Amino acid sequence: MPQGSASPRSTRTWTPPGGRLVFHVFAAPAEFIRELIVIGTNEGLAAARERGRVGGRPSVAAEEIIRAARDLLPDPGRSITSIAKLLGVYPGTLYNHIPDLRELRASAVLRQIEAPTT
């Protein structure tokens, strides 16, 4: 059996240079069609955006939820998980939508430690 053949029964070899030529003859139209699909998809998305349609999953983090979370963050008695449960979202949602969440928590804890007890 010649080395590089397609199957044990085949006598045709697909090794270079003939094999490369056949591969490129089949691959070029496939690559062209793929590029046409990408262009069509991007044009369709752009047209939808012009009509006001936005793709993707809707965000669960409404402005009211983020505002409420920011109000609850300074309370050192509440964990981020408990705040998320209270608001009906996952903790990751709070981390994603409040970029300075860790700093807000750290400053609240520092204020609690530094506050004089009476």
Side-chain angles (χ1 to χ4, degrees):
M1 177 170 85
Q3 188 175 14
S5 66
S7 73
R9 294 187 201 111
S10 175
T11 57
R12 180 173 293 144
T13 62
W14 298 104
T15 55
R20 270 202 320 256
L21 174 65
V22 170
F23 175 78
H24 286 289
V25 166
F26 288 126
E31 185 177 353
F32 175 71
I33 291 170
R34 181 191 181 281
E35 288 179 12
L36 288 178
I37 292 169
V38 168
I39 290 169
T41 301
N42 288 335
E43 287 174 354
L45 290 171
R49 254 184 249 110
E50 287 175 7
R51 292 190 309 268
R53 303 284 300 179
V54 180
R57 185 175 179 168
S59 178
V60 296
E63 194 59 39
E64 306 87 50
I65 291 176
I66 300 302
R67 206 173 303 117
R70 283 185 172 277
D71 293 341
L72 294 170
L73 281 171
D75 181 6
R78 293 186 185 267
S79 68
I80 293 172
T81 304
S82 68
I83 294 170
K85 280 184 184 176
L86 179 70
L87 298 173
V89 295
Y90 289 105
T93 302
L94 298 181
Y95 283 107
N96 290 337
H97 289 84
I98 305 174
D100 55 343
L101 184 135
R102 286 186 174 88
E103 291 82 19
L104 288 171
R105 289 298 282 186
S107 65
V109 170
L110 285 175
R111 281 194 304 264
Q112 181 72 17
I113 292 171
E114 294 170 354
T117 55
T118 54

